[in-house]
């Protein structure tokens, strides 16, 4: 598996692009490079290698499903549950940038998604657009719901 390719995959939340190259994803989605992209990770060990979870929120982060957290270092991560169908894919990479497979501000368009991906990862259930993840911003003492 090539780390610089853009994969079209059914993530744990919706149909999405996944890649190790965040700038390439921003370019495809026609969004500013200054807008950060979340990363999906395969485990809390990988998460700890990238950021520090504030002590006050460790239990919440560990028990959350399909939830993205923006950490005090301004990076955002979502840990994929081992029981999720997306887990075997993300486990091969440990971590990947992940974003919905659409132009910024638009709805999912299958032809756009397929045209702009290097590899299409089919699953037995196919592709389906579901709810996006919840997003919380963490500081050392506060938590704020973003979405």
């Amino acid at each position: 598996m090539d780390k610089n390719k853009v994969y079209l995959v059914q993530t744990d939340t919706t149909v999405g692009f996944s890649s190790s190259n965040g700038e390439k994803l921003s370019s495809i989605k026609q969004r500013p490079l200054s807008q950060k992209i979340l990363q999906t990770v395969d485990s809390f060990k990988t998460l700890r290698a990238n950021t520090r979870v504030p002590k006050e929120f460790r239990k919440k982060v560990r028990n959350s499903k399909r939830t993205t957290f923006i950490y005090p270092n301004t990076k955002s991560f979502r840990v994929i549950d081992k029981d999720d169908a997306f887990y075997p894919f993300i486990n091969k990479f440990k971590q990947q940038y992940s974003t919905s497979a659409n132009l910024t501000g638009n709805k999912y368009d299958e032809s756009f998604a397929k045209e702009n991906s290097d590899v299409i990862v089919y699953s037995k259930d196919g592709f389906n657009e579901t709810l996006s993840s919840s997003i919380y911003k963490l500081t050392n003492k506060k938590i704020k719901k973003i979405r």
Side-chain angles (χ1 to χ4, degrees):
M1 298 187 126
D2 188 344
K3 291 187 175 191
N4 286 317
K5 292 195 177 198
V6 173
Y7 297 88
L8 177 64
V9 62
Q10 178 68 44
T11 68
D12 58 327
T13 56
T14 192
V15 183
F17 292 128
S18 189
S19 177
S20 292
N21 188 337
E23 290 178 6
K24 193 170 182 181
L25 292 180
S26 290
S27 174
I28 289 170
K29 289 184 60 84
Q30 298 176 9
R31 71 195 299 178
L33 290 175
S34 60
Q35 188 175 349
K36 301 204 178 204
I37 299 177
L38 79 93
Q39 294 183 60
T40 51
V41 295
D42 68 335
S43 67
F44 290 101
K45 181 178 181 182
T46 306
L47 178 65
R48 277 193 312 271
N50 288 283
T51 191
R52 184 185 162 279
V53 179
K55 189 173 186 176
E56 192 168 324
F57 303 111
R58 287 181 184 162
K59 189 172 184 178
K60 180 165 182 63
V61 169
R62 186 164 287 281
N63 293 326
S64 295
K65 304 273 190 249
R66 296 182 175 162
T67 305
T68 300
F69 291 95
I70 303 170
Y71 293 91
N73 66 357
T74 69
K75 293 182 179 180
S76 55
F77 295 93
R78 184 170 67 242
V79 179
I80 306 303
D81 188 81
K82 287 184 178 6
D83 297 330
D84 195 280
F86 181 55
Y87 180 78
F89 174 82
I90 200 65
N91 189 43
K92 288 177 175 39
F93 295 98
K94 300 295 180 203
Q95 73 184 60
Q96 288 269 289
Y97 289 101
S98 182
T99 186
S100 57
N102 58 348
L103 279 171
T104 299
N106 294 345
K107 294 274 186 196
Y108 171 68
D109 176 14
E110 187 173 358
S111 60
F112 168 81
K114 288 182 176 179
E115 286 171 16
N116 287 284
S117 58
D118 298 318
V119 177
I120 301 171
V121 181
Y122 290 100
S123 66
K124 64 180 179 179
D125 299 328
F127 295 121
N128 53 37
E129 190 177 14
T130 59
L131 294 176
S132 300
S133 66
S134 300
I135 301 177
Y136 291 92
K137 183 173 183 171
L138 303 177
T139 65
N140 289 331
K141 299 289 181 194
K142 294 181 184 176
I143 185 168
K144 179 181 178 184
K145 185 166 185 161
I146 305 293
R147 176 174 71 193

